Amino acid sequence: MFKVAKIRRIKWPVLIQVPQDGGKVSEREVTVEFEDISRSEQNQIYEGGGNDATLLKRVVKGWGGGQFKDESDNDIEFSEQALAELIETVYVETAFVKAFLELHNGRAAVRKN
């Protein structure tokens, strides 16, 4: 049986690739709570002039403690402002969008070992 729910929130891994010197990246995995919106709502965001940041502000609903830290090693608690600041970093925004698309399209999360 497949049960249809109007609002689905799903905690999903996000793999952030942080650029390093020499053309390398270090990978950090965090868990973010997304709301899985309908295809038509996603299309409306983009057709209405929105962009990836607009989409993320709509679908990212939280993250647990310890997922993100500031420069002083303090937890960054979820808020709309904290999300807006995080996704100003392009590689963070890209990682969030990629994770949401994997979730939204029913693909298992890609994990590196």
Side-chain angles (χ1 to χ4, degrees), residues 32-100:
V32 174
E33 184 177 4
F34 293 97
E35 183 176 327
D36 185 21
I37 61 174
S38 69
R39 172 72 62 199
S40 60
E41 186 175 352
Q42 184 177 343
N43 290 342
Q44 286 175 351
I45 289 169
Y46 288 104
E47 290 168 3
N51 55 25
D52 288 344
T54 309
L55 174 70
L56 293 174
K57 290 173 185 175
R58 167 64 184 90
V59 301
V60 175
K61 299 301 179 183
W63 54 70
Q67 298 296 305
F68 296 95
K69 303 267 187 186
D70 66 16
E71 291 176 337
S72 300
D73 207 31
N74 299 311
D75 279 357
I76 299 173
E77 299 296 327
F78 177 78
S79 69
E80 290 179 11
Q81 180 66 31
L83 174 62
E85 290 173 9
L86 277 174
I87 62 177
E88 277 294 310
T89 302
V90 176
Y91 58 84
V92 174
E93 179 186 59
T94 300
F96 274 51
V97 170
K98 182 178 178 188
F100 177 73

Side-chain angles (χ1 to χ4, degrees), residues 13-16 27-31 67 110-112:
V14 176
L15 186 63
I16 301 171
E27 295 180 336
R28 303 288 188 270
E29 186 176 301
V30 296
T31 300
Q67 298 296 305
V110 177
R111 297 177 187 247
K112 298 245 178 174

